[in-house]
Amino acid sequence: MSAHTLRRDRYREWLTAQGLRFGFDAEIADKATDVTDGVTNDTPPLELWHRILPTVKLAEALREEFGATTVNSATRAPKYNAAVGGEDASL
């Protein structure tokens, strides 16, 4: 198993431990495997993991109120962000 896959799996386990609903743990963690123009996204650094929680809680409320919603991206690695045309200050 690659180091990238191990990081993604640890991130998913951490997200699952946060008690997220609606499958957000897998949905967000799997964004770390997205590939654009040969550039693979990656799991955010461990010290930033907690920053996703307020956004996920909002997404959970929206999904609960309005039904199916789609997560198009969560955290993007800098090289991947550039590959998808993201803003320079965006991560």
Side-chain angles (χ1 to χ4, degrees):
M1 192 176 293
S2 73
H4 181 265
T5 301
L6 289 172
R7 282 192 306 275
R8 191 236 14 237
D9 290 350
R10 280 196 306 264
Y11 187 42
R12 181 182 297 176
E13 289 169 6
W14 181 84
L15 288 165
T16 300
Q18 305 312 302
L20 304 181
R21 300 176 298 147
F22 307 114
F24 275 118
D25 50 349
E27 195 170 349
I28 292 168
D30 286 347
K31 293 297 174 186
T33 62
D34 287 352
V35 179
T36 297
D37 293 335
V39 178
T40 304
N41 197 14
D42 203 353
T43 304
L46 175 65
E47 64 271 13
L48 299 180
W49 289 5
H50 70 281
R51 291 185 178 187
I52 193 76
L53 293 178
T55 302
V56 175
K57 295 297 181 184
L58 175 60
E60 285 179 328
L62 292 170
R63 194 171 275 185
E64 185 169 61
E65 179 72 22
F66 300 108
T69 55
T70 302
V71 174
N72 291 320
S73 72
T75 304
R76 297 179 185 159
K79 288 181 182 178
Y80 182 78
N81 190 53
V84 299
E87 295 294 321
D88 290 342
S90 170
L91 294 177

